[in-house]
Amino acid sequence: MRVPSCHIDHITVTAPSLEVGAEFVRQALGVEPQAGGEHPRMGTHNLLLRLGDSLFLEVIAPNPKAPAPLRPRWFALDTLRTNSAPTLATWVVRTSDIQASVSASSEALGNIESMSRGALNWLITIPSDGALPLDGAAPALIEWSAEGHPATKLQDYGLSLVKLELFHPEPERISRLLQSVGLYSQCSVSPSKGERAAYLVAHINTPHGMRHL
């Protein structure tokens, strides 16, 4: 089976609330993310910020107005406390054939699940326990059902993702994963530094110059 090439689709900031996540993005990038929508199956909602024609930043948090899901929320959101700091927690990679990409992946990225937000529908990998694979250094895989990309409908503030840095104690393992799913550009892999086992750094070009998240 031929493995389709993959591309960075979006980067994900997790926060205990959208207000906290939005302030984190404002301080870092000088731009206000715009309203996204709700994810009924997960009891979450989000804000969005365009980073290109087919790339965006997502701020995601538990939705206090939605019923708690009968399963763990995605992106490890159930582990957050009200005073948890927002963080660039993980990233999502787009594929045209999620079945083939999951089969080719050198790491278990979760079950393929059908999700929706308003009129948008997609397939995405979600671990059954809601955890972040490899502490967020491994991406989720996504296959959009609609024609066109949702980023094209977002306001353009002139932001673009220049590079995504992935830090992990086993960088060779991350590199092997990226090669297995056919992702070869826009990111680098390095050994993690300091106390954090894994973390991400996004280099984003803005009208105010290069900023980092």
Side-chain angles (χ1 to χ4, degrees):
M1 180 184 295
R2 188 183 72 83
V3 180
S5 60
C6 289
H7 307 274
I8 300 177
D9 190 82
H10 58 279
I11 57 177
T12 298
V13 170
T14 59
S17 72
L18 289 186
E19 293 76 16
V20 169
E23 180 60 23
F24 174 68
V25 171
R26 277 195 299 267
Q27 292 292 332
L29 304 180
V31 177
E32 177 85 25
Q34 69 184 78
E38 300 181 357
H39 312 104
R41 284 191 61 202
M42 288 291 168
T44 58
H45 55 175
N46 65 4
L47 301 172
L48 304 170
L49 188 59
R50 178 171 172 156
L51 298 178
D53 291 339
S54 57
L55 208 158
F56 61 91
L57 180 153
E58 172 187 42
V59 177
I60 191 166
N63 184 354
K65 297 181 180 179
L70 300 178
R71 53 160 295 159
R73 291 181 174 91
W74 50 5
F75 302 123
L77 287 172
D78 287 328
T79 66
L80 299 183
R81 301 180 179 180
T82 55
N83 62 347
S84 292
T87 184
L88 178 59
T90 192
W91 56 309
V92 180
V93 165
R94 182 175 65 259
T95 174
S96 60
D97 187 340
I98 196 168
Q99 295 282 355
S101 296
V102 166
S103 297
S105 175
S106 62
E107 299 286 343
L109 301 178
N111 302 316
I112 299 174
E113 303 212 22
S114 176
M115 297 296 298
S116 65
R117 174 173 60 82
L120 288 173
N121 296 281
W122 64 93
L123 299 174
I124 190 169
T125 54
I126 308 174
S128 57
D129 62 359
L132 294 172
L134 299 182
D135 296 316
L141 297 174
I142 192 169
E143 179 183 340
W144 294 101
S145 300
E147 292 289 333
H149 194 274
T152 60
K153 299 179 181 179
L154 300 175
Q155 187 167 347
D156 190 353
Y157 291 106
L159 278 67
S160 60
L161 178 68
V162 176
K163 183 173 72 170
L164 180 65
E165 291 186 286
L166 312 173
F167 294 89
H168 192 272
E170 300 177 86
E172 298 85 1
R173 187 176 175 185
I174 304 300
S175 295
R176 186 165 58 250
L177 165 62
L178 301 187
Q179 185 172 10
S180 73
V181 298
L183 187 109
Y184 304 107
S185 63
Q186 264 195 300
C187 59
S188 65
V189 183
S190 302
S192 54
K193 307 170 185 177
E195 298 179 355
R196 291 183 291 175
Y199 57 97
L200 284 63
V201 178
H203 299 255
I204 297 173
N205 194 27
T206 80
H208 317 290
M210 188 68 66
R211 298 287 182 90
H212 304 92
L213 194 67

